[in-house]
Amino acid sequence: MHNFQFVEATVVDGVGLIELNRPEVLNAINRQVVSELVELMTAFDRDPEVGAMVVTGKGRAFAAGADIHEMAGDSPIDLELLDQFADWDRLLSIKKPVIGAVNGFALGGGFELALACDLLFTTETAQFGFPEVNLGVMPGAGGTQQLTKIMGKRKALEWLLTGEKMSAQEALHFGVVNRLIAPELLLEETMKYAKKVAKQPPLAVRLIKEAVDKAVDYPLDEGMKFERKNFYLLFSSEDQKEGMSAFMEKRSPQFKGK
């Protein structure tokens, strides 16, 4: 992987760790950041040595919003021609589990990036919010859709219409985040969980994520059909044979992702 300007990456015990590295602007998200993120995540998605990914921010924030200086002068036609959210759409097509470790602020585009992760672990002092309305705009990279699917219409509107910040405790209460962790342990605990996931049979993990994503959008009967097809498909894998043989032989399975 070549050197990136705003994002750093390492692989630790099967986990691809991606860190936003613009601490001087609280990791504000510009187009370059999203482009680098997508490139890294796509590379990790294809790397057989990586079983899960963790995304976090260096310094005092996860990501405190979009880079307003970059967008302030844009016209609708500029944004259309730039295809402003094409890279964001690619984030949602990543097949492996992505776990966000949120330290400090996750606001605006930063909150959208957090919501694009599959699971969220956060510090007790983290804060979330969509302040876009205060600038005369609104979320555009999935914020209104993702938050509504998680919290329901009434609660999502409550935050979106005022731009007020949501505490980590509120985010936990409404199912926006998975766990609250002491700040000094955030990365360690998130990585520990990610390493567990990375040791699981890769095909099963991938198809579970795919089925759960469909559950959010499909009616129940369609989702059940989709789940069943994925269930059947895993019976053609070597990992299924190995997993069941190991269970019956009372030994540890050796999964190969085949």
Side-chain angles (χ1 to χ4, degrees):
M1 275 179 214
H2 66 267
N3 286 334
F4 292 93
Q5 189 179 352
F6 297 132
V7 179
E8 289 185 6
T10 47
V11 178
V12 186
D13 295 342
V15 176
L17 173 61
I18 300 172
E19 296 178 280
L20 303 182
N21 189 21
R22 295 182 83 199
E24 70 288 351
V25 288
L26 298 180
N27 297 320
I29 293 179
N30 60 16
R31 291 171 194 131
Q32 178 74 21
V33 170
V34 182
S35 169
E36 290 183 9
L37 256 176
V38 167
E39 196 176 329
L40 269 172
M41 289 169 86
T42 304
F44 281 152
D45 217 23
R46 292 177 182 149
D47 185 344
E49 300 303 310
V50 172
M53 295 172 229
V54 168
V55 178
T56 194
K58 289 200 166 194
R60 295 186 297 122
F62 178 74
D67 194 325
I68 303 304
H69 297 287
E70 182 181 68
M71 286 189 294
D74 284 338
S75 72
I77 301 301
D78 292 334
L79 295 171
E80 170 64 31
L81 293 175
L82 275 166
D83 202 356
Q84 170 81 2
F85 298 112
D87 281 336
W88 286 90
D89 292 341
R90 287 173 62 204
L91 283 181
L92 296 175
S93 64
I94 298 297
K95 306 283 190 194
K96 291 173 184 172
V98 180
I99 303 146
V102 178
N103 45 314
F105 293 116
L107 304 175
F111 194 7
E112 286 175 308
L113 175 58
L115 291 173
C117 296
D118 299 304
L119 297 99
L120 281 178
F121 291 6
T122 175
T123 63
E124 296 127 336
T125 51
Q127 291 187 302
F128 302 84
F130 285 121
E132 284 89 339
V133 67
N134 300 323
L135 305 179
V137 290
M138 62 181 280
T144 64
Q145 305 304 296
Q146 298 267 32
L147 196 63
T148 302
K149 283 181 186 296
I150 293 166
M151 300 177 83
K153 172 185 165 178
R154 295 183 199 285
K155 275 294 161 195
L157 270 174
E158 191 179 324
W159 300 101
L160 287 158
L161 293 176
T162 61
E164 285 174 5
K165 293 187 186 74
M166 181 189 306
S167 70
Q169 290 73 18
E170 287 166 317
L172 182 69
H173 175 73
F174 293 118
V176 176
V177 306
N178 292 78
R179 299 182 188 176
L180 303 191
I181 297 167
E184 64 276 11
L185 296 174
L186 176 68
L187 197 54
E188 184 186 329
E189 290 294 317
T190 307
M191 288 296 286
K192 191 191 289 183
Y193 178 85
K195 286 172 190 176
K196 267 189 203 169
V197 174
K199 287 188 173 69
Q200 300 292 69
L203 291 168
V205 166
R206 176 187 179 124
L207 295 190
I208 286 168
K209 171 173 166 168
E210 190 181 62
V212 169
D213 282 344
K214 290 288 185 272
V216 176
D217 299 320
Y218 279 16
L220 182 60
D221 61 331
E222 292 294 315
M224 297 283 279
K225 283 177 195 158
F226 190 89
E227 177 190 78
R228 207 148 295 157
K229 288 281 193 321
N230 277 8
F231 175 81
Y232 295 153
L233 182 58
L234 287 169
F235 276 75
S236 65
S237 71
E238 290 174 26
D239 281 354
Q240 174 265 330
K241 313 283 182 290
E242 167 63 11
M244 292 193 170
S245 299
F247 177 81
M248 292 187 290
E249 292 160 17
K250 296 184 170 52
R251 62 176 174 83
S252 294
Q254 301 296 311
F255 296 120
K256 297 192 176 119
K258 294 180 180 174

